[in-house]
């Protein structure tokens, strides 16, 4: 098992968990650490593991089960005649993160998305024993979604390192500014990264994302300087 790492959990599907997982991985790879990003379950036609390898480097991404239907894993498995068992999912994830310095788990869907009835991403995070990084959108609705996600993780006894806001506009409106100003107060967890809308170019990915991830995640994001103008807009 990795000596350190995180389970990357989103407030919803499509919030950018894979990009955030790749960004964290890239910062540690650039620092000379051995890193793996485990994707226990992939649903639909996309290939998040291939995207991690494209952005970070070959062999970083490791994929478990691939279910054809673009649905939450439990439903995709049921409709496809497949079977996902919690013990096997946990065992595979722990094995996939063995022999590395930093391990990341790239989950599918939101925190309560199930892989088996009664076993969701929060349960996986607790079983694997890695603190969660919660990935949020910057726009309308994110305060509610982030608070519900953090409350759910707390109820499942999952440690939370902090929040990463993905796809922050370069010129935020009062909506994004207010959300960034309020996220920490409402959730009671720190913002540990804000990734802007960037071109996902493998050549510059690590250098750019390292500027926007906090020291907790291997980067050098100056949060105080970033949040001050956000609060001034509100």
């Amino acid at each position: 098992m990795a000596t350190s790492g995180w389970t990357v959990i989103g407030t919803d599907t499509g919030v950018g968990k894979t990009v955030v997982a790749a960004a964290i991985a890239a910062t540690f790879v650039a620092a000379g650490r051995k890193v793996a990003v485990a994707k226990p379950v992939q649903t639909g036609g996309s290939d998040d593991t291939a995207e991690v390898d494209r952005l970070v480097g070959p062999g970083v991404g490791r994929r478990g089960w691939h279910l054809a239907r673009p649905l939450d894993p439990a439903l995709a498995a049921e409709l496809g005649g497949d079977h996902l068992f919690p013990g096997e999912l946990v065992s595979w994830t722990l094995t996939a993160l063995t022999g590395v310095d930093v391990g990341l788990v790239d989950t599918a869907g939101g925190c309560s998305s199930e892989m088996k009835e009664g076993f969701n991403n929060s349960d996986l995070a607790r079983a694997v024993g890695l603190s969660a990084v919660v990935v949020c959108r910057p726009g309308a609705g994110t305060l509610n979604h982030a608070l519900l996600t953090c409350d759910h993780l707390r109820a499942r006894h999952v440690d939370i390192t902090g929040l990463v806001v993905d796809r922050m506009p370069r010129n935020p409106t009062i909506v994004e500014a207010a959300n960034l100003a309020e996220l920490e107060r409402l959730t009671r967890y720190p913002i540990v990264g804000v990734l802007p809308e960037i071109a996902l170019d493998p050549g510059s990915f690590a250098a750019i994302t390292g500027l926007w991830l906090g020291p907790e995640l291997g980067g050098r994001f100056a949060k105080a300087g970033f949040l001050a103008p956000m609060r001034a807009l509100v």
Side-chain angles (χ1 to χ4, degrees), residues 54-147:
R54 184 183 77 85
L55 293 172
V56 185
V60 173
R62 301 172 185 184
R63 190 178 74 185
W65 288 257
H66 188 196
L67 307 175
R69 290 169 171 79
L71 305 168
D72 271 7
L75 184 56
E78 179 183 347
L79 295 178
D82 298 299
H83 299 281
L84 299 174
F85 297 104
E88 291 181 359
L89 288 162
V90 173
S91 178
W92 179 88
T93 304
L94 292 172
T95 300
L97 300 183
T98 297
V100 298
D101 302 314
V102 180
L104 294 145
V105 182
D106 180 14
T107 58
C111 67
S112 59
S113 294
E114 291 186 320
M115 287 156 283
K116 184 78 172 178
E117 185 176 350
F119 185 80
N120 61 29
N121 284 323
S122 299
D123 300 316
L124 177 65
R126 186 180 68 246
V128 172
L130 294 177
S131 180
V133 168
V134 177
V135 182
C136 315
R137 291 186 175 92
T142 198
L143 296 178
N144 180 58
H145 293 159
L147 181 56

